[in-house]
Amino acid sequence: MAAQAGSSSAAQEDPFVENEEELIFGAESGWVEARTFCDHLPSLSSDLAHIPTPDTPCNRCQHPNENWLCLCCKDVMCSRFVNKHMLQHFQQTNHCLALSYSDLSVWCFSCDAYLDAQVIPQLRGVYETAYMLKFGEAPPFRTV
């Protein structure tokens, strides 16, 4: 009981630490570490050099924003914050890899995780192509 009281008073001493476990995993800051490998990479389309432009509307509802590119079949669909068409596409087809045209992040629905498109060789090309289509220039190189 004394140990329990001691740990709760330690947490009370630091007003920024409500839950020590959350601090360890970065939940307080919202920071997420993207994976550098995914077992689902073999499902990528064989032609990711030719992709729709970032201003392509959702194939199902024509919504112009918050759209994702399926990296398996190259369909463009809206995010879970719009009408959830990319999520439905995954549920119907099991195409699990998608690139966000909003921030160029890559998500694996099967792993439930972001993937580091700048580090994973199979994703680097589509990331660079999407970046050039969105910003009109090559992406800056990140030191890893």
Side-chain angles (χ1 to χ4, degrees):
M1 186 94 163
Q4 193 175 17
S7 67
S8 67
S9 66
Q12 289 174 356
E13 288 175 17
D14 187 348
F16 298 105
V17 179
E18 291 180 15
N19 182 341
E20 191 173 327
E21 188 174 329
E22 287 183 4
L23 183 63
I24 292 170
F25 294 106
E28 287 288 318
S29 68
W31 176 73
V32 177
E33 187 170 345
R35 291 184 178 194
T36 57
F37 181 78
C38 171
D39 288 331
H40 305 98
L41 294 172
S43 68
L44 289 169
S45 168
S46 61
D47 179 22
L48 290 174
H50 303 94
I51 59 173
T53 59
D55 60 352
T56 302
C58 174
N59 289 350
R60 294 190 185 166
C61 69
Q62 302 306 308
H63 197 279
N65 301 320
E66 285 288 328
N67 291 320
W68 289 73
L69 170 68
C70 176
L71 296 178
C72 302
C73 69
K74 302 196 293 185
D75 279 347
V76 175
M77 281 168 258
C78 62
S79 78
R80 63 184 82 194
F81 302 113
V82 180
N83 291 316
K84 301 181 173 131
H85 288 137
M86 185 55 77
L87 177 60
Q88 292 169 4
H89 178 69
F90 161 66
Q91 292 166 339
Q92 294 165 357
T93 65
N94 208 30
H95 291 176
C96 59
L97 299 168
L99 179 137
S100 166
Y101 274 139
S102 294
D103 63 5
L104 303 182
S105 61
V106 174
W107 178 258
C108 177
F109 286 95
S110 294
C111 292
D112 197 28
Y114 285 103
L115 305 179
D116 194 331
Q118 295 182 52
V119 172
I120 299 172
Q122 298 94 318
L123 297 175
R124 180 80 190 222
V126 71
Y127 170 80
E128 290 175 353
T129 300
Y131 191 99
M132 286 189 276
L133 289 170
K134 183 170 180 153
F135 298 110
E137 61 186 44
F141 288 102
R142 186 176 95 195
T143 56
V144 190

mmCIF file of all heavy atoms in Angstrom, residues 97-115:
data_model
loop_
_atom_site.group_PDB
_atom_site.id
_atom_site.type_symbol
_atom_site.label_atom_id
_atom_site.label_comp_id
_atom_site.label_asym_id
_atom_site.label_seq_id
_atom_site.Cartn_x
_atom_site.Cartn_y
_atom_site.Cartn_z
ATOM 1 N N LEU A 97 -2.795 -1.666 -48.606
ATOM 2 C CA LEU A 97 -1.800 -0.597 -48.628
ATOM 3 C C LEU A 97 -2.336 0.637 -49.348
ATOM 4 O O LEU A 97 -2.831 0.540 -50.472
ATOM 5 C CB LEU A 97 -0.519 -1.085 -49.303
ATOM 6 C CG LEU A 97 0.158 -2.269 -48.597
ATOM 7 C CD1 LEU A 97 1.233 -2.872 -49.485
ATOM 8 C CD2 LEU A 97 0.728 -1.831 -47.268
ATOM 9 N N ALA A 98 -2.234 1.786 -48.685
ATOM 10 C CA ALA A 98 -2.764 3.018 -49.271
ATOM 11 C C ALA A 98 -1.876 4.200 -48.924
ATOM 12 O O ALA A 98 -1.261 4.248 -47.861
ATOM 13 C CB ALA A 98 -4.181 3.261 -48.766
ATOM 14 N N LEU A 99 -1.815 5.153 -49.855
ATOM 15 C CA LEU A 99 -1.041 6.379 -49.681
ATOM 16 C C LEU A 99 -2.001 7.550 -49.561
ATOM 17 O O LEU A 99 -2.890 7.717 -50.404
ATOM 18 C CB LEU A 99 -0.097 6.588 -50.866
ATOM 19 C CG LEU A 99 0.755 7.849 -50.832
ATOM 20 C CD1 LEU A 99 2.184 7.528 -51.265
ATOM 21 C CD2 LEU A 99 0.191 8.932 -51.734
ATOM 22 N N SER A 100 -1.834 8.353 -48.523
ATOM 23 C CA SER A 100 -2.663 9.530 -48.319
ATOM 24 C C SER A 100 -2.194 10.653 -49.222
ATOM 25 O O SER A 100 -1.011 11.030 -49.192
ATOM 26 C CB SER A 100 -2.584 9.994 -46.861
ATOM 27 O OG SER A 100 -3.116 11.294 -46.732
ATOM 28 N N TYR A 101 -3.105 11.214 -49.998
ATOM 29 C CA TYR A 101 -2.735 12.373 -50.814
ATOM 30 C C TYR A 101 -2.681 13.642 -49.969
ATOM 31 O O TYR A 101 -2.171 14.659 -50.410
ATOM 32 C CB TYR A 101 -3.703 12.544 -51.978
ATOM 33 C CG TYR A 101 -3.334 11.716 -53.196
ATOM 34 C CD1 TYR A 101 -4.311 11.058 -53.932
ATOM 35 C CD2 TYR A 101 -2.021 11.600 -53.629
ATOM 36 C CE1 TYR A 101 -3.986 10.318 -55.061
ATOM 37 C CE2 TYR A 101 -1.680 10.859 -54.748
ATOM 38 C CZ TYR A 101 -2.672 10.224 -55.461
ATOM 39 O OH TYR A 101 -2.335 9.494 -56.575
ATOM 40 N N SER A 102 -3.184 13.603 -48.740
ATOM 41 C CA SER A 102 -3.113 14.774 -47.865
ATOM 42 C C SER A 102 -1.698 15.000 -47.347
ATOM 43 O O SER A 102 -1.163 16.091 -47.447
ATOM 44 C CB SER A 102 -4.064 14.624 -46.684
ATOM 45 O OG SER A 102 -5.389 14.621 -47.135
ATOM 46 N N ASP A 103 -1.094 13.940 -46.787
ATOM 47 C CA ASP A 103 0.234 14.108 -46.185
ATOM 48 C C ASP A 103 1.280 13.128 -46.723
ATOM 49 O O ASP A 103 2.403 13.095 -46.237
ATOM 50 C CB ASP A 103 0.152 14.006 -44.668
ATOM 51 C CG ASP A 103 -0.317 12.640 -44.186
ATOM 52 O OD1 ASP A 103 -0.496 11.719 -45.011
ATOM 53 O OD2 ASP A 103 -0.507 12.495 -42.962
ATOM 54 N N LEU A 104 0.910 12.332 -47.727
ATOM 55 C CA LEU A 104 1.791 11.361 -48.386
ATOM 56 C C LEU A 104 2.269 10.246 -47.443
ATOM 57 O O LEU A 104 3.285 9.615 -47.693
ATOM 58 C CB LEU A 104 2.975 12.049 -49.074
ATOM 59 C CG LEU A 104 2.607 13.117 -50.104
ATOM 60 C CD1 LEU A 104 3.859 13.686 -50.757
ATOM 61 C CD2 LEU A 104 1.658 12.569 -51.155
ATOM 62 N N SER A 105 1.519 10.026 -46.386
ATOM 63 C CA SER A 105 1.827 8.893 -45.506
ATOM 64 C C SER A 105 1.278 7.621 -46.144
ATOM 65 O O SER A 105 0.369 7.662 -46.966
ATOM 66 C CB SER A 105 1.206 9.106 -44.121
ATOM 67 O OG SER A 105 -0.206 9.194 -44.216
ATOM 68 N N VAL A 106 1.862 6.476 -45.763
ATOM 69 C CA VAL A 106 1.404 5.189 -46.255
ATOM 70 C C VAL A 106 0.886 4.392 -45.066
ATOM 71 O O VAL A 106 1.543 4.305 -44.027
ATOM 72 C CB VAL A 106 2.531 4.422 -46.984
ATOM 73 C CG1 VAL A 106 2.080 3.026 -47.372
ATOM 74 C CG2 VAL A 106 2.979 5.197 -48.218
ATOM 75 N N TRP A 107 -0.294 3.813 -45.233
ATOM 76 C CA TRP A 107 -0.957 3.061 -44.166
ATOM 77 C C TRP A 107 -1.194 1.631 -44.628
ATOM 78 O O TRP A 107 -1.591 1.399 -45.772
ATOM 79 C CB TRP A 107 -2.295 3.720 -43.844
ATOM 80 C CG TRP A 107 -3.091 3.028 -42.807
ATOM 81 C CD1 TRP A 107 -4.177 2.212 -42.990
ATOM 82 C CD2 TRP A 107 -2.904 3.094 -41.382
ATOM 83 N NE1 TRP A 107 -4.655 1.777 -41.786
ATOM 84 C CE2 TRP A 107 -3.896 2.301 -40.781
ATOM 85 C CE3 TRP A 107 -1.979 3.747 -40.565
ATOM 86 C CZ2 TRP A 107 -3.998 2.138 -39.403
ATOM 87 C CZ3 TRP A 107 -2.083 3.592 -39.193
ATOM 88 C CH2 TRP A 107 -3.073 2.811 -38.631
ATOM 89 N N CYS A 108 -0.934 0.682 -43.730
ATOM 90 C CA CYS A 108 -1.302 -0.712 -43.983
ATOM 91 C C CYS A 108 -2.486 -1.042 -43.093
ATOM 92 O O CYS A 108 -2.364 -1.036 -41.860
ATOM 93 C CB CYS A 108 -0.141 -1.665 -43.702
ATOM 94 S SG CYS A 108 -0.620 -3.400 -43.945
ATOM 95 N N PHE A 109 -3.634 -1.284 -43.714
ATOM 96 C CA PHE A 109 -4.836 -1.621 -42.962
ATOM 97 C C PHE A 109 -4.688 -2.959 -42.240
ATOM 98 O O PHE A 109 -5.215 -3.133 -41.148
ATOM 99 C CB PHE A 109 -6.057 -1.670 -43.887
ATOM 100 C CG PHE A 109 -6.536 -0.320 -44.326
ATOM 101 C CD1 PHE A 109 -6.107 0.217 -45.529
ATOM 102 C CD2 PHE A 109 -7.419 0.416 -43.560
ATOM 103 C CE1 PHE A 109 -6.548 1.471 -45.950
ATOM 104 C CE2 PHE A 109 -7.867 1.661 -43.962
ATOM 105 C CZ PHE A 109 -7.430 2.191 -45.163
ATOM 106 N N SER A 110 -3.977 -3.906 -42.833
ATOM 107 C CA SER A 110 -3.806 -5.216 -42.204
ATOM 108 C C SER A 110 -2.907 -5.140 -40.978
ATOM 109 O O SER A 110 -3.170 -5.791 -39.967
ATOM 110 C CB SER A 110 -3.243 -6.231 -43.199
ATOM 111 O OG SER A 110 -4.178 -6.477 -44.221
ATOM 112 N N CYS A 111 -1.840 -4.367 -41.063
ATOM 113 C CA CYS A 111 -0.934 -4.191 -39.918
ATOM 114 C C CYS A 111 -1.459 -3.145 -38.933
ATOM 115 O O CYS A 111 -0.964 -3.055 -37.811
ATOM 116 C CB CYS A 111 0.449 -3.754 -40.396
ATOM 117 S SG CYS A 111 1.352 -4.994 -41.321
ATOM 118 N N ASP A 112 -2.409 -2.332 -39.381
ATOM 119 C CA ASP A 112 -2.939 -1.225 -38.587
ATOM 120 C C ASP A 112 -1.794 -0.296 -38.184
ATOM 121 O O ASP A 112 -1.631 0.063 -37.023
ATOM 122 C CB ASP A 112 -3.683 -1.754 -37.358
ATOM 123 C CG ASP A 112 -4.592 -0.702 -36.730
ATOM 124 O OD1 ASP A 112 -5.065 0.189 -37.464
ATOM 125 O OD2 ASP A 112 -4.804 -0.762 -35.506
ATOM 126 N N ALA A 113 -0.985 0.064 -39.201
ATOM 127 C CA ALA A 113 0.212 0.858 -38.914
ATOM 128 C C ALA A 113 0.630 1.690 -40.119
ATOM 129 O O ALA A 113 0.359 1.324 -41.267
ATOM 130 C CB ALA A 113 1.364 -0.072 -38.535
ATOM 131 N N TYR A 114 1.302 2.810 -39.812
ATOM 132 C CA TYR A 114 1.932 3.601 -40.867
ATOM 133 C C TYR A 114 3.226 2.921 -41.275
ATOM 134 O O TYR A 114 3.887 2.266 -40.468
ATOM 135 C CB TYR A 114 2.231 5.025 -40.380
ATOM 136 C CG TYR A 114 1.008 5.889 -40.290
ATOM 137 C CD1 TYR A 114 0.417 6.154 -39.066
ATOM 138 C CD2 TYR A 114 0.438 6.437 -41.436
ATOM 139 C CE1 TYR A 114 -0.725 6.942 -38.976
ATOM 140 C CE2 TYR A 114 -0.701 7.230 -41.368
ATOM 141 C CZ TYR A 114 -1.278 7.480 -40.133
ATOM 142 O OH TYR A 114 -2.395 8.249 -40.058
ATOM 143 N N LEU A 115 3.599 3.106 -42.550
ATOM 144 C CA LEU A 115 4.843 2.563 -43.080
ATOM 145 C C LEU A 115 5.725 3.723 -43.515
ATOM 146 O O LEU A 115 5.228 4.724 -44.037
ATOM 147 C CB LEU A 115 4.561 1.654 -44.279
ATOM 148 C CG LEU A 115 3.578 0.506 -44.037
ATOM 149 C CD1 LEU A 115 3.385 -0.290 -45.321
ATOM 150 C CD2 LEU A 115 4.043 -0.391 -42.911
#
